Amino acid sequence: YILVMVDPDAPSANRPSKRFWRHWLLELLSGSMLTGSVLTAYQGPMPPERSGLHRYQFFLFRQPSTFKDRFEVKEEDWDAVGRERWDLDEFVVKYDLCGLLAASYQYSASRN
């Protein structure tokens, strides 16, 4: 499976100019312990001060067998690739992630 965590409200819900901020990307997940290969290291919620509520979205996709064959960025470079303005839709199409199995979100806000 592939797990994606993004913030579609970066830097604020009123002006999401950096949507979708990529907070976490794992592949080859198996079992209930979220063990797999880290493509983007976890970065917890960090909404800027006075930016209001942010939705942190989680998507779980079935990983197609062709994922690695299509993968253009080396795994060790994924943290270096910009996290802001990540095109989640393009990623889903490019890597044929048509098997969305689950989605969830949480709200978070900064301490003002």
Side-chain angles (χ1 to χ4, degrees), residues 13-54:
N14 294 337
R15 305 189 98 189
S17 61
K18 295 182 180 180
R19 129 184 322 159
F20 287 91
W21 189 280
R22 190 178 64 250
H23 279 267
W24 203 13
L25 182 58
L26 299 172
E27 61 113 10
L28 291 175
L29 286 174
S30 61
S32 61
M33 298 301 295
L34 294 182
T35 57
S37 296
V38 175
L39 299 178
T40 300
Y42 177 76
Q43 182 181 68
M46 54 180 190
E49 287 188 27
R50 293 184 276 291
S51 65
L53 287 173
H54 285 242

Side-chain angles (χ1 to χ4, degrees), residues 40-106:
T40 300
Y42 177 76
Q43 182 181 68
M46 54 180 190
E49 287 188 27
R50 293 184 276 291
S51 65
L53 287 173
H54 285 242
R55 295 167 293 164
Y56 291 87
Q57 299 175 324
F58 298 84
F59 299 101
L60 184 67
F61 296 95
R62 185 174 312 282
Q63 182 168 331
S65 60
T66 58
F67 183 75
K68 285 293 193 183
D69 297 336
R70 295 175 170 196
F71 208 59
E72 295 174 2
V73 180
K74 294 178 185 172
E75 289 177 32
E76 61 271 14
D77 294 337
W78 263 89
D79 261 350
V81 174
R83 290 179 182 245
E84 65 183 47
R85 290 189 288 274
W86 186 54
D87 193 333
L88 176 58
D89 291 333
E90 178 184 331
F91 181 79
V92 168
V93 170
K94 184 174 188 174
Y95 295 110
D96 197 24
L97 303 181
C98 57
L100 179 63
L101 301 174
S104 184
Y105 68 93
Q106 70 181 40

